[in-house]
Amino acid sequence: MKINIYPILKGKLDFLSSNYDFEVGGYLTGYVEDGQIYLDDLLIPNQSLSKTHVEITSLQQLELRQKYGDKVKNILGHWHSHHSMGCFWSQTDLNNMNNLSLNKEFFVFVVSSNSKHLISVYLKKPFNIVIDDCELNCYNQSIKEVELFVEELRKQQSVKPSPSQTY
């Protein structure tokens, strides 16, 4: 399964997972379109940081609304760094993933270490399934729009240009 990620978000995750010697966490925003998942931003709440875990309290989660407004309605997942420890799911991570996904149809989880990313998707419908080791696909809307436009132009043209018209 591929998860589409906007380049700016990937840059944030790479930076946060490579430049600090402690864990940082946040919530991934995005949308689902045509059966594909698109991640576009990271909402970083106030939190307690340490070298081995991140703690975001219920109150700090509620404060996200004040800090980010309606962006919280687009939360699709959770992210945290493992700084230089490597990409793996600790037992604490697995417990948090189960708790966070309880009331969601699906939820995306990402852990990052030194610009490497491990992704799991928890699905609840039509039945419970966990999809591990998803692939990140860097997605740029403006490039996609240009690609679609040029493809449409190509389809509309029934005659190929003559050699004298090529550059």
Side-chain angles (χ1 to χ4, degrees):
M1 175 179 224
K2 286 187 181 179
I3 306 295
N4 299 295
I5 185 170
Y6 281 52
I8 291 174
L9 173 57
K10 185 170 184 317
K12 288 179 184 181
L13 301 184
D14 290 350
F15 177 81
L16 291 168
S17 69
S18 300
N19 290 294
Y20 299 103
D21 64 350
F22 50 83
E23 291 192 17
V24 178
Y27 295 94
L28 298 162
T29 63
Y31 57 94
V32 177
E33 184 175 281
D34 298 327
Q36 293 194 44
I37 299 169
Y38 295 86
L39 301 176
D40 59 13
D41 204 358
L42 177 67
L43 309 182
I44 303 174
N46 291 330
Q47 56 198 273
S48 299
L49 307 171
S50 84
K51 289 188 177 284
T52 58
H53 71 280
V54 99
E55 183 182 344
I56 303 169
T57 66
S58 299
L59 178 59
Q60 290 166 333
Q61 289 176 20
L62 291 173
E63 291 170 349
L64 275 175
R65 179 63 185 230
Q66 294 170 338
K67 187 174 182 179
Y68 293 104
D70 284 344
K71 279 185 147 187
V72 299
K73 293 179 181 178
N74 299 325
I75 291 175
L76 295 183
H78 181 267
W79 169 85
H80 73 280
S81 66
H82 272 185
H83 56 88
S84 61
M85 294 188 302
C87 286
F88 64 93
W89 301 116
S90 69
Q91 189 57 53
T92 301
D93 294 339
L94 295 172
N95 292 339
N96 287 337
M97 291 160 68
N98 284 324
N99 290 333
L100 285 170
S101 65
L102 280 176
N103 299 315
K104 307 279 185 188
E105 281 188 27
F106 81 95
F107 213 65
V108 179
F109 294 95
V110 179
V111 65
S112 303
S113 177
N114 291 322
S115 301
K116 294 184 177 108
H117 312 282
L118 182 63
I119 303 103
S120 287
V121 176
Y122 280 49
L123 299 169
K124 299 289 181 168
K125 287 188 178 180
F127 50 86
N128 290 345
I129 187 169
V130 176
I131 303 169
D132 285 322
D133 301 326
C134 298
E135 180 183 338
L136 278 183
N137 175 45
C138 217
Y139 177 83
N140 187 318
Q141 182 66 34
S142 60
I143 290 174
K144 188 66 175 173
E145 289 170 358
V146 168
E147 178 186 38
L148 292 172
F149 177 75
V150 171
E151 283 300 311
E152 189 59 36
L153 283 175
R154 186 185 62 78
K155 288 177 188 175
Q156 291 174 5
Q157 294 182 12
S158 58
V159 179
K160 292 183 179 182
S162 67
S164 63
Q165 294 175 316
T166 59
Y167 299 93

